């Protein structure tokens, strides 16, 4: 098989997927169409429709774009079939029905931002950092009936430095994802459409999942070690952001997002959630009194700022008795 024998349909929506689509185009792989999410209403009244990053790039390259509301829509399925694609590539998209993923002769493969079978699900980058992993990576696998369970084609590891947040890992895996996609297609070509792949069913050990994040998921539990809270904060930075409830000495409550913290190695006699101010530095006690320094934060209705700037504007209400409320200590 040659490169020219392929007819590829690419499926994806966010910026993460654009890197891979760009790689396919720049290496002159025949992408005959792109499937992405419908334009999203934005603006104060939702009156403006914002196209996805993938759609914007596809149109700039003259590639036809399909935007189905429902993946099982018979009209969409027939549109898809009309392109006579023999391979589909999926990056950061939604779950596909069998009528779609089974359509191409050479199958449909996905680029997943984790080393499967670990971190199956919608938020693999976030959860890998939250759990304090020192390594993650990207995986290509053939789609089947269940989410992220198909046969693995290739994997590439990526180291996670202790200070790294989601933005750092996202950028790294975005570039690595483009690389592994090209290598996977090369393997498909070299094997006449039948690359070596490995079943995930043989994995022995405890699996860690990566479910979708919700607001309640992102609330900080101060009844954990300082290291666990530190990882939780960087695992949600910059989006959606870890949050807590600030209760000031006068009893007022406000939502406080924390984007950056620092481990100190210090231990205090303070209970979890209690604040400590030393000069221009702000600390919070975690489990067993371990102190975590708060470095960058954002009070509801305010801009993101350094802890020192925050203290300059809030010192009068952050006296003795101020704390960070934990609604569900565990």
């Amino acid at each position: 098989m040659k490169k020219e024998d392929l007819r590829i349909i690419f499926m994806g929506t966010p910026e993460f997927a654009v890197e891979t689509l760009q790689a396919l185009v720049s290496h002159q792989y025949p992408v005959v169409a792109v499937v992405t999410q419908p334009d999203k209403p934005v603006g104060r009244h939702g009156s403006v429709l914002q196209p996805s990053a993938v759609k914007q790039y596809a149109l700039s390259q003259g590639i036809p774009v399909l935007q189905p509301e429902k993946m099982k829509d018979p009209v969409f399925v027939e549109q898809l079939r009309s392109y006579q694609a023999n391979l589909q590539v999926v990056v950061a998209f939604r779950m596909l029905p069998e009528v779609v993923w089974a359509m191409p002769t050479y199958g449909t493969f996905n680029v997943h931002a984790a080393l499967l079978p670990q971190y199956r699900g919608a938020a693999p980058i976030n959860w890998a950092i939250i759990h304090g992993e020192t390594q993650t990576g990207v995986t290509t696998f053939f789609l089947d009936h269940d989410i992220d369970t198909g046969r693995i084609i290739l994997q590439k590891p990526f180291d996670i430095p202790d200070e790294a947040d989601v933005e750092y890992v996202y950028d790294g895996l975005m570039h690595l994802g483009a690389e592994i996609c090209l290598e996977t297609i090369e393997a498909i070509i070299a094997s006449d459409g039948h690359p070596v792949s490995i079943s995930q069913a043989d994995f022995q050990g405890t699996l860690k999942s990566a479910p979708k994040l919700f607001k309640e998921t992102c609330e900080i539990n101060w009844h954990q070690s300082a290291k666990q809270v530190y990882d939780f904060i960087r695992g949600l930075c910059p989006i959606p952001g870890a949050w807590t409830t600030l209760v000031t000495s006068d009893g007022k409550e406000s939502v406080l997002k924390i984007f950056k913290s620092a481990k100190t190695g210090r231990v205090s006699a303070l209970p979890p959630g209690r604040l400590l101010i030393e000069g221009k530095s702000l600390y919070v006690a975690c489990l067993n009194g371990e102190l975590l320094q708060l470095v960058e934060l954002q009070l509801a209705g305010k801009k993101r700022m350094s802890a020192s700037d925050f203290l300059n504007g809030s010192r009068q209400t952050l006296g003795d008795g101020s704390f960070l409320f934990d609604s569900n200590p565990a």
Side-chain angles (χ1 to χ4, degrees):
M1 186 197 306
K2 299 178 181 179
K3 178 189 296 187
E4 295 76 18
D5 297 327
L6 292 176
R7 290 180 61 82
I8 300 172
I9 284 181
F10 182 87
M11 301 184 183
T13 295
E15 178 192 9
F16 189 92
V18 174
E19 186 78 13
T20 301
L21 179 57
Q22 285 177 326
L24 291 173
V25 172
S26 65
H27 285 77
Q28 299 183 327
Y29 281 103
V31 180
V32 296
V34 159
V35 181
T36 189
Q37 295 277 41
D39 294 357
K40 184 179 179 180
V42 295
R44 192 168 187 177
H45 303 291
S47 57
V48 178
L49 293 178
Q50 176 71 40
S52 72
V54 163
K55 178 181 179 179
Q56 293 179 59
Y57 176 75
L59 293 179
S60 75
Q61 300 300 309
I63 303 173
V65 175
L66 304 178
Q67 296 178 273
E69 291 284 350
K70 297 180 179 179
M71 299 301 291
K72 291 184 179 180
D73 182 347
V75 175
F76 163 68
V77 172
E78 286 309 308
Q79 277 184 309
L80 199 63
R81 203 184 307 277
S82 71
Y83 285 98
Q84 299 181 327
N86 50 21
L87 179 66
Q88 291 178 157
V89 178
V90 181
V91 184
F93 198 54
R94 50 182 154 165
M95 187 174 180
L96 303 182
E98 183 175 2
V99 68
V100 172
W101 59 256
M103 190 181 296
T105 307
Y106 304 129
T108 300
F109 76 82
N110 181 277
V111 178
H112 185 72
L115 296 175
L116 292 174
Q118 297 293 4
Y119 297 108
R120 295 168 176 163
I125 297 175
N126 302 91
W127 286 107
I129 300 173
I130 288 170
H131 287 153
E133 303 287 1
T134 58
Q135 188 179 75
T136 183
V138 288
T139 301
T140 52
F141 68 96
F142 285 116
L143 265 64
D144 63 11
H145 293 90
D146 298 315
I147 297 176
D148 301 335
T149 59
R151 295 182 66 85
I152 293 171
I153 309 167
L154 293 175
Q155 292 189 315
K156 279 180 171 289
F158 181 84
D159 291 336
I160 306 176
D162 184 64
E163 71 279 2
D165 60 12
V166 172
E167 188 171 33
Y168 174 90
V169 180
Y170 181 100
D171 288 345
L173 295 188
M174 182 171 65
H175 297 299
L176 202 60
E179 291 179 18
I180 200 173
C181 176
L182 295 179
E183 291 181 17
T184 299
I185 294 179
E186 289 169 4
I188 289 172
I189 292 173
S191 62
D192 287 327
H194 301 285
V196 174
S197 59
I198 303 171
S199 172
Q200 295 187 45
D202 298 330
F203 176 80
Q204 300 292 323
T206 303
L207 289 176
K208 299 175 184 177
S209 61
K212 186 177 179 180
L213 296 170
F214 297 94
K215 181 181 178 181
E216 56 270 23
T217 315
C218 303
E219 184 177 10
I220 299 171
N221 174 9
W222 299 108
H223 288 252
Q224 299 181 95
S225 70
K227 174 65 164 62
Q228 287 175 302
V229 177
Y230 170 80
D231 290 336
F232 187 80
I233 290 169
R234 67 192 181 100
L236 296 171
C237 177
I239 295 174
W243 66 275
T244 186
T245 301
L246 171 65
V247 183
T248 54
S249 56
D250 56 5
K252 293 183 178 179
E253 297 184 6
S254 301
V255 172
L256 182 70
K257 280 192 173 184
I258 301 173
F259 294 99
K260 188 174 181 180
S261 64
K263 293 173 290 182
T264 67
R266 295 171 56 189
V267 178
S268 72
L270 297 172
R274 187 68 64 181
L275 289 171
L276 172 66
I277 301 172
E278 291 182 348
K280 294 184 177 181
S281 298
L282 180 61
Y283 303 88
V284 60
C286 301
L287 187 65
N288 298 324
E290 295 179 353
L291 289 178
L292 187 71
Q293 184 176 3
L294 305 185
V295 179
E296 290 184 15
L297 34 77
Q298 181 179 21
L299 200 59
K302 304 292 184 179
K303 65 179 182 179
R304 180 173 169 176
M305 64 184 71
S306 67
S308 59
D309 288 342
F310 174 75
L311 287 172
N312 287 338
S314 308
R315 192 176 293 271
Q316 289 182 341
T317 59
L318 284 180
D320 292 340
S322 296
F323 64 95
L324 301 178
F325 180 67
D326 186 349
S327 64
N328 186 27

